[in-house]
Amino acid sequence: MSYTDLNTSLRTIMTPGPVEVDPRVLRAMSTPIIGQFDPEFLTIMNDTMDLSRYAFQTTNQRAFPINGTSRAGIEAVLCSIIEPGDKVLIPIFGRFGYLLTEIAGRCGADVHTMEKEWGEVFDPEEIQAEIKKVNPKIVTVVHGETSTGRLQPLKELGNFCRENDVLFVVDAVATLGGVEVKTDDWNIDAVIAGTQKCIGSPSGMAPITYNDRVEKILLERKKIERGLSSDSVNERSIQSNYLDLSQIQDYWTSDRLNHHTEATSMLYALRESLRLIKEEGLETRIERHKFHEGALVAGLQAMGVELFGTAEHKMPVVTIIKVPEGVDEASVRSTMIQQFGVEIAGAFGPLQGKVWRIGSMGYSCRKNNILRVIGALEATLIYHGVKVNRGDALQAALEFYVDK
Amino acid sequence: MSYTDLNTSLRTIMTPGPVEVDPRVLRAMSTPIIGQFDPEFLTIMNDTMDLSRYAFQTTNQRAFPINGTSRAGIEAVLCSIIEPGDKVLIPIFGRFGYLLTEIAGRCGADVHTMEKEWGEVFDPEEIQAEIKKVNPKIVTVVHGETSTGRLQPLKELGNFCRENDVLFVVDAVATLGGVEVKTDDWNIDAVIAGTQKCIGSPSGMAPITYNDRVEKILLERKKIERGLSSDSVNERSIQSNYLDLSQIQDYWTSDRLNHHTEATSMLYALRESLRLIKEEGLETRIERHKFHEGALVAGLQAMGVELFGTAEHKMPVVTIIKVPEGVDEASVRSTMIQQFGVEIAGAFGPLQGKVWRIGSMGYSCRKNNILRVIGALEATLIYHGVKVNRGDALQAALEFYVDK
């Protein structure tokens, strides 16, 4: 068997991740390797921490990436702070809320859940009432649920948790870098982001940040590993070695106490992505995501397809449309990618087969791509026998762009 | 604060990892992203599995990378097969043996260890006697200990474990792709490799393989996560979600049951690295590593520095030399990297400050680099007041190369 040179097609990726990556970020990854103890590497690590703080809108000392995909970041935070029997309250409004229960449960947490129908979010007061009832050590919630396209308001909840001395952990994997996430202002104790969505880096790293309230627990649970110290014992030590934040945070200091070998090229990519965020400006970037959402929604409405869910809590970076009656959703996606080279996403759980999810995140969130996905979708729907308002969608989007 | 364009120096990296990366691999990483459910991505995943089997010398169905650094691969294997109370025997002959105890202990194993002084390896019969005494479920051992530069013979041990129905798990992070590792012939049940050493990819992925004996345990412990299935319950479920092989192996099939979002660019890199191994041929590649070791050792001996340990169990890809009396080892390394742009490594634990470790792995294992590290080391030692046989080292290495 022979293996050809890597010959991938050039795609227009309009899913909720992974999305297209800025050519500057791709180029950064082709930079030759330097060693993990090279003095120049410390500068790259420090830059990445500074730039992460900017993206997280925090003054936390701790802001660095976990070497793994987004759920590695979530597990690192949860397994480092949850001890067996700890009460954890998880409000669920889509697939990734269940993931939080899965991870917390495997850490030995006493998991309490509350659920909303897919498509809705929680009124902060509902969660506050449950906190009073359950009295959890930790509340953890998804900010932007890509499975339903909904955005959970966090500010009031953060204030309430802080006042009641509850740790507040937020999965901002799908929002950070494209939607407002104010770590400090909203009193969030730990935030997990994802690289392959609004940050616009490839999948494989998970930037996180956490404050002194979290660090206090880490220091209490710290156990230096054998091989570096022979006499460190801690009965409360963290159940994972790879995802042990008490060790990883020491690697991210000038001591650089060896834990793993930092993923060099991925760090190059993340630094460049964060630098792009800084150059664009976080506010401008968040506005850009809202702006292109406007064009996409205008186009889809003019086409005559039905949007899923109400506008009030819609994620600006995910737009979900209902699959028209009698249409096979998978074959529409197949036509779009095979004929037009445009990728949109299907769905999970109760929405599987019923909706398509269109992402407009990071570098993929730009005028060309919005117009391409609208055009490809219209032609594909017509090809699959769906009745739409022919030609209206792109005109509506163009008018939106020309007007603004 | 402003953040400059990524301007790293071009280094000659002669450490035991991370090492230099072939320009073809660097280039592969700058390939634009495709989605994880793109039909073309399945081909890339399948190619990577095929090529991994070749590198591991196995016919195992399961051979794929974990999205994390090497220790993520080790933890994925150990935490997926170890259940609380399981007896695990770990022969330790350097730092990374301790890491195995650390990971196994956090999985709840009843850890039994046996230790050798740093610089030695075990006679297989010693381990076999301990297996008879302890009667463990699992024996796990490091193949090449970069902390001491020693190589543990595995073949007899593998046979003995198989005959006695003990699972045999090998950390081949530092050897696979540069030193013989015969997964099937040596009856190894699970092997973990590292990308940033002899495989010659950047750090951040850990290729693993395991056989049906391991998979049987995974299937018994399998629990589909909530969000994908609401009714899956398993009291023996694996303690990590991110490193749960029973879920990850389902992602690496044509079903691609979503677990994480595969690290696209790192997978491009790994595929290209493995393709380079296939093109060079594994035997030729292993011979290349031995060949350049010959030149390096000839040079160092002619220089008059003292090698650490005996030749019999020396790793061909790591050469350790003693720091001469009265020399500050860190300032020698600093001069080498700052003045010559050549990086070698210090040491851990009992060897810290006493030896330098020179790697000759993957793309870094080539004539130019061997001559550069010898030349830079000689000049630096002279600069630091060490008496060496001036000029002899490079002549010895050149003669070695010209003769062969």
Side-chain angles (χ1 to χ4, degrees):
Chain A
M1 207 181 309
S2 80
Y3 300 88
T4 63
D5 199 3
L6 194 61
N7 292 316
T8 55
S9 297
L10 206 54
R11 302 297 198 197
T12 295
I13 312 183
M14 299 303 279
T15 68
V19 301
E20 296 172 38
V21 166
D22 191 298
R24 266 178 56 182
V25 176
L26 294 175
R27 211 160 61 224
M29 279 190 289
S30 65
T31 306
I33 301 295
I34 57 173
Q36 65 168 327
F37 296 113
D38 194 308
E40 292 184 3
F41 200 64
L42 189 58
T43 305
I44 292 171
M45 290 170 78
N46 288 343
D47 286 355
T48 306
M49 285 193 283
D50 281 348
L51 290 162
S52 296
R53 286 182 199 106
Y54 174 76
F56 280 116
Q57 302 193 52
T58 186
T59 59
N60 287 341
Q61 185 189 352
R62 307 302 184 181
F64 51 77
I66 299 300
N67 283 197
T69 68
S70 310
R71 70 170 65 196
I74 298 170
E75 187 164 323
V77 170
L78 292 183
C79 86
S80 294
I81 59 177
I82 295 174
E83 295 179 67
D86 279 349
K87 280 190 202 169
V88 179
L89 175 64
I90 306 176
I92 300 167
F93 58 105
R95 176 183 169 193
F96 295 99
Y98 288 117
L99 177 62
L100 295 175
T101 70
E102 190 69 31
I103 294 172
R106 291 184 189 214
C107 299
D110 175 10
V111 175
H112 295 253
T113 60
M114 49 196 298
E115 300 196 30
K116 277 281 172 196
E117 200 176 330
W118 286 35
E120 295 178 20
V121 300
F122 291 90
D123 186 316
E125 287 177 8
E126 293 175 87
I127 301 177
Q128 290 167 14
E130 197 68 15
I131 292 173
K132 282 183 194 155
K133 211 173 81 186
V134 171
N135 191 26
K137 172 176 160 182
I138 300 156
V139 170
T140 180
V141 69
V142 173
H143 184 212
E145 255 294 354
T146 54
S147 63
T148 67
R150 299 302 109 178
L151 197 66
Q152 175 63 45
L154 298 177
K155 186 178 177 166
E156 283 182 49
L157 202 49
N159 294 342
F160 185 84
C161 284
R162 186 65 53 93
E163 283 160 14
N164 290 275
D165 200 26
V166 172
L167 285 175
F168 188 41
V169 176
V170 171
D171 166 355
V173 167
T175 49
L176 200 104
V179 180
E180 196 77 89
V181 181
K182 296 189 168 187
T183 303
D184 290 358
D185 281 3
W186 295 352
N187 286 315
I188 311 177
D189 295 296
V191 183
I192 303 100
T195 47
Q196 79 280 14
K197 299 181 189 276
C198 299
I199 290 177
S201 231
S203 172
M205 274 200 163
I208 64 169
T209 188
Y210 52 87
N211 62 18
D212 292 346
R213 286 155 51 92
V214 169
E215 183 161 348
K216 182 170 174 291
I217 297 174
L218 303 183
L219 295 176
E220 288 167 6
R221 304 187 71 188
K222 183 171 177 172
K223 176 186 178 297
I224 299 169
E225 66 185 28
R226 286 193 73 190
L228 294 176
S229 163
S230 59
D231 56 358
S232 180
V233 176
N234 191 330
E235 293 200 346
R236 292 171 59 197
S237 72
I238 291 160
Q239 75 176 21
S240 173
N241 173 291
Y242 185 64
L243 300 172
D244 178 345
L245 291 181
S246 75
Q247 291 187 75
I248 297 170
Q249 70 177 18
D250 284 342
Y251 182 73
W252 282 86
T253 64
S254 50
D255 292 345
R256 267 192 286 176
L257 197 63
N258 184 246
H259 173 264
H260 58 280
T261 301
E262 188 60 18
T264 319
S265 308
M266 289 297 295
L267 190 67
Y268 291 171
L270 177 60
R271 179 185 178 278
E272 191 68 8
S273 300
L274 293 171
R275 207 161 70 99
L276 281 160
I277 291 175
K278 186 94 195 308
E279 286 176 14
E280 182 174 8
L282 198 52
E283 286 310 312
T284 310
R285 188 177 177 94
I286 290 165
E287 281 307 315
R288 164 166 62 88
H289 281 86
K290 278 190 204 142
F291 175 67
H292 291 292
E293 179 204 22
L296 178 62
V297 167
L300 293 170
Q301 284 173 333
M303 198 186 297
V305 293
E306 194 178 348
L307 296 186
F308 171 80
T310 58
E312 191 187 358
H313 296 293
K314 180 184 176 303
M315 285 177 78
V317 296
V318 179
T319 300
I320 303 192
I321 54 178
K322 295 184 184 173
V323 176
E325 282 288 325
V327 173
D328 175 33
E329 80 84 10
S331 64
V332 166
R333 283 190 289 125
S334 179
T335 301
M336 285 184 72
I337 198 161
Q338 301 288 4
Q339 305 301 327
F340 294 89
V342 175
E343 189 184 10
I344 62 171
F348 303 107
L351 293 179
Q352 194 165 17
K354 296 182 184 162
V355 301
W356 291 298
R357 300 178 305 140
I358 302 175
S360 47
M361 294 174 160
Y363 186 65
S364 279
C365 181
R366 59 189 202 274
K367 191 195 291 184
N368 291 173
N369 277 21
I370 298 290
L371 296 176
R372 280 179 202 161
V373 73
I374 291 171
L377 180 66
E378 179 183 315
T380 303
L381 288 178
I382 294 172
Y383 181 78
H384 283 262
V386 178
K387 194 165 175 298
V388 300
N389 305 320
R390 294 187 178 215
D392 291 358
L394 281 176
Q395 293 309 311
L398 280 172
E399 275 167 32
F400 180 93
Y401 281 124
V402 175
D403 284 354
K404 301 284 160 115
Chain B
M1 204 181 310
S2 80
Y3 300 88
T4 63
D5 199 2
L6 194 63
N7 291 315
T8 56
S9 297
L10 206 54
R11 303 296 199 197
T12 295
I13 311 182
M14 299 303 279
T15 68
V19 301
E20 297 171 35
V21 166
D22 191 297
R24 265 178 56 184
V25 176
L26 294 175
R27 211 160 61 224
M29 280 189 290
S30 66
T31 306
I33 301 294
I34 57 173
Q36 64 169 328
F37 296 114
D38 193 307
E40 292 184 3
F41 200 65
L42 189 57
T43 305
I44 293 172
M45 290 171 80
N46 287 344
D47 285 355
T48 305
M49 285 194 282
D50 281 347
L51 289 162
S52 295
R53 286 182 199 107
Y54 174 76
F56 280 115
Q57 302 191 53
T58 187
T59 58
N60 287 341
Q61 184 189 354
R62 306 302 184 181
F64 51 76
I66 298 301
N67 283 197
T69 68
S70 311
R71 71 170 66 197
I74 297 171
E75 188 165 323
V77 170
L78 291 182
C79 85
S80 295
I81 59 177
I82 295 174
E83 295 178 68
D86 279 348
K87 279 190 202 169
V88 179
L89 176 64
I90 306 176
I92 300 167
F93 59 105
R95 177 184 169 193
F96 294 99
Y98 288 118
L99 177 61
L100 296 176
T101 70
E102 190 70 30
I103 294 171
R106 292 183 189 214
C107 299
D110 176 10
V111 175
H112 295 255
T113 60
M114 49 196 298
E115 300 196 29
K116 276 284 173 193
E117 201 176 329
W118 286 35
E120 294 178 20
V121 300
F122 292 90
D123 185 317
E125 285 178 8
E126 293 175 85
I127 302 176
Q128 289 167 15
E130 197 67 16
I131 292 172
K132 280 183 195 157
K133 213 173 80 186
V134 171
N135 191 25
K137 173 177 159 180
I138 299 156
V139 171
T140 180
V141 68
V142 173
H143 185 212
E145 253 294 354
T146 55
S147 64
T148 67
R150 299 301 109 178
L151 197 66
Q152 174 63 45
L154 298 177
K155 184 176 177 169
E156 283 182 49
L157 202 49
N159 294 341
F160 185 85
C161 284
R162 186 64 53 93
E163 282 161 14
N164 290 274
D165 201 26
V166 172
L167 285 174
F168 188 40
V169 177
V170 171
D171 166 355
V173 166
T175 50
L176 200 106
V179 180
E180 195 78 88
V181 181
K182 296 190 168 185
T183 303
D184 291 357
D185 281 3
W186 296 352
N187 286 315
I188 311 176
D189 295 296
V191 183
I192 303 100
T195 46
Q196 79 280 14
K197 299 181 191 274
C198 299
I199 290 176
S201 231
S203 173
M205 275 200 162
I208 64 168
T209 188
Y210 52 88
N211 61 20
D212 291 346
R213 285 155 54 90
V214 169
E215 183 160 350
K216 181 169 174 291
I217 297 174
L218 303 183
L219 295 176
E220 287 166 6
R221 304 187 71 190
K222 183 170 179 173
K223 175 186 178 299
I224 298 169
E225 66 185 30
R226 287 192 73 188
L228 294 177
S229 161
S230 58
D231 55 358
S232 180
V233 176
N234 189 332
E235 293 201 346
R236 291 170 60 195
S237 73
I238 291 160
Q239 75 175 22
S240 174
N241 173 289
Y242 186 64
L243 300 172
D244 178 345
L245 291 181
S246 74
Q247 292 187 75
I248 297 171
Q249 70 178 19
D250 284 342
Y251 182 72
W252 283 87
T253 62
S254 50
D255 292 345
R256 269 194 283 177
L257 197 63
N258 186 245
H259 172 263
H260 57 280
T261 300
E262 188 60 17
T264 319
S265 308
M266 288 298 294
L267 190 67
Y268 291 171
L270 177 59
R271 179 184 179 278
E272 191 67 8
S273 299
L274 293 171
R275 208 162 69 101
L276 281 160
I277 291 175
K278 186 96 195 305
E279 284 175 16
E280 182 175 8
L282 198 53
E283 287 308 312
T284 309
R285 188 178 178 94
I286 290 165
E287 281 306 314
R288 164 165 65 88
H289 282 85
K290 278 189 204 147
F291 175 68
H292 291 293
E293 179 203 24
L296 177 61
V297 168
L300 294 170
Q301 284 174 332
M303 197 186 298
V305 293
E306 195 179 347
L307 297 186
F308 171 80
T310 57
E312 191 187 357
H313 295 295
K314 181 184 175 301
M315 286 177 77
V317 296
V318 180
T319 300
I320 303 192
I321 55 178
K322 295 184 183 172
V323 176
E325 282 288 323
V327 173
D328 175 32
E329 79 85 10
S331 64
V332 166
R333 282 190 289 125
S334 179
T335 301
M336 285 184 72
I337 198 161
Q338 300 287 4
Q339 305 301 325
F340 294 89
V342 175
E343 188 184 12
I344 63 172
F348 303 107
L351 294 179
Q352 194 165 19
K354 296 182 185 163
V355 301
W356 291 299
R357 299 178 306 140
I358 302 175
S360 47
M361 294 174 160
Y363 186 66
S364 279
C365 182
R366 58 189 203 275
K367 192 194 289 184
N368 292 173
N369 278 21
I370 298 290
L371 296 175
R372 280 180 202 160
V373 73
I374 291 171
L377 180 65
E378 179 184 316
T380 304
L381 288 178
I382 294 172
Y383 183 79
H384 283 262
V386 179
K387 197 166 172 296
V388 301
N389 305 321
R390 293 185 179 216
D392 291 357
L394 281 176
Q395 294 307 312
L398 281 172
E399 275 167 33
F400 179 94
Y401 281 124
V402 175
D403 283 354
K404 301 284 158 116

